[in-house]
Amino acid sequence: MAKRVGKTDDQPFVKLFRELTYRWTPWEVWQDFVTMYACAISNAVDKSHFEKREELYLKRIQKYNKKEQEIFPQLAAEVVLALEKNPEQDFLGSIFMALNLGNDSGGQFFTPYDVCRMMAEMTCDNVLPTIEAKGYISINDCATLIAGVHAAAKQISKAGLNWQNHILVTAQDVDYTVAYMCYIQLSLLGVAGYIKVGNSLTEPMRSDDSLENYWFTPMYCSDVWTIRRLLKGRTLL
């Protein structure tokens, strides 16, 4: 059977990724990649979860041989380069779909970013009054999360403010793979926020929640957001 060549097969990330799929399934490699990448980011800023996430990282990486292990940092670098070149995209979501991983994930499919951007721009009201009153706005629409950040950021930047100090993302997903994908991209884009892995119906976010399954972005740990948390006397804003 001839191999079906997709339009992204010449994409550097995809080329590297396929080097890992001779011994492992694409779905298994993807889960391992996003898990290790999320752990690496978290462990740079969140010491309270360091030991468990370091253990999780080592458990994933040790199944690969030395040559395979060297590919994962290259994949991470490709994500950084892609988002630096074009921040307004769901890079991991588009790669996920290009690799046909939707069926392997139990039917998880991602809305094309252009559609998300249109939806975000249509529904993003004037955010400045909320910022003037509260200091920041919260975004938690998982379907258009990244697009929503950019739509709000444009309004804030036009007002001469640093949007990174005034946008907080809070999101939750029962699928840890999807949650990690979101966490990675928000972290790399410099967005303040946190992602909870868990069922939003049976385990919704609460101010007194256990933080075991929370993933805090580096920007959320910055001075501006740390001071806000201290003033309110709590970890979750």
Side-chain angles (χ1 to χ4, degrees):
M1 181 181 294
K3 177 184 175 183
R4 184 169 65 88
V5 179
K7 63 181 181 179
T8 60
D9 279 7
D10 60 347
Q11 215 270 6
F13 183 100
V14 173
K15 284 185 174 181
L16 286 168
F17 185 89
R18 293 199 190 283
E19 292 182 29
L20 294 165
T21 59
Y22 292 100
R23 290 204 305 138
W24 312 97
T25 67
W27 176 238
E28 189 171 10
V29 174
W30 185 264
Q31 287 185 306
D32 290 339
F33 169 65
V34 297
T35 297
M36 289 188 287
Y37 203 173
C39 286
I41 293 172
S42 174
N43 281 353
V45 294
D46 183 1
K47 301 309 177 185
S48 64
H49 292 105
F50 183 91
E51 290 187 7
K52 286 189 176 180
R53 290 175 185 175
E54 183 70 5
E55 182 181 348
L56 177 58
Y57 178 96
L58 292 174
K59 181 180 179 180
R60 298 281 181 154
I61 195 66
Q62 287 172 352
K63 61 194 273 191
Y64 297 93
N65 61 41
K66 184 176 180 180
K67 184 178 180 181
E68 292 168 336
Q69 289 178 7
E70 292 173 350
I71 294 175
F72 287 100
Q74 297 177 59
L75 290 172
E78 289 300 329
V79 180
V80 173
L81 290 172
L83 292 176
E84 284 182 347
K85 184 178 181 180
N86 177 20
E88 291 197 49
Q89 64 169 318
D90 177 7
F91 178 75
L92 291 178
S94 64
I95 293 294
F96 181 96
M97 297 304 295
L99 292 169
N100 296 312
L101 294 173
N103 291 327
D104 293 327
S105 68
Q108 184 71 253
F109 298 97
F110 294 93
T111 306
Y113 188 79
D114 287 343
V115 176
C116 292
R117 177 168 51 199
M118 179 184 67
M119 293 169 60
E121 291 176 349
M122 290 175 60
T123 58
C124 187
D125 298 325
N126 184 3
V127 302
L128 296 180
T130 301
I131 290 174
E132 290 175 2
K134 186 180 178 182
Y136 63 92
I137 62 163
S138 298
I139 298 177
N140 52 29
D141 183 353
C142 292
T144 61
L145 203 57
I146 296 176
V149 167
H150 285 293
K154 289 174 183 176
Q155 293 185 32
I156 297 170
S157 296
K158 285 183 179 179
L161 301 173
N162 181 350
W163 66 266
Q164 291 176 305
N165 294 336
H166 302 286
I167 295 178
L168 175 68
V169 166
T170 63
Q172 182 170 355
D173 203 296
V174 68
D175 187 330
Y176 77 85
T177 304
V178 175
Y180 293 166
M181 289 167 62
C182 180
Y183 173 74
I184 291 166
Q185 292 187 121
L186 291 174
S187 295
L188 295 179
L189 291 170
V191 181
Y194 46 85
I195 311 297
K196 180 182 179 181
V197 182
N199 190 315
S200 59
L201 297 178
T202 60
E203 307 170 68
M205 289 183 177
R206 304 188 311 271
S207 59
D208 61 344
D209 217 351
S210 164
L211 302 180
E212 180 181 0
N213 295 318
Y214 278 78
W215 295 73
F216 300 100
T217 68
M219 183 56 66
Y220 188 71
C221 300
S222 67
D223 290 344
V224 170
W225 293 95
T226 298
I227 290 171
R228 285 195 175 114
R229 295 198 304 276
L230 290 173
L231 290 174
K232 291 197 174 185
R234 61 193 193 199
T235 302
L236 302 177
L237 288 175

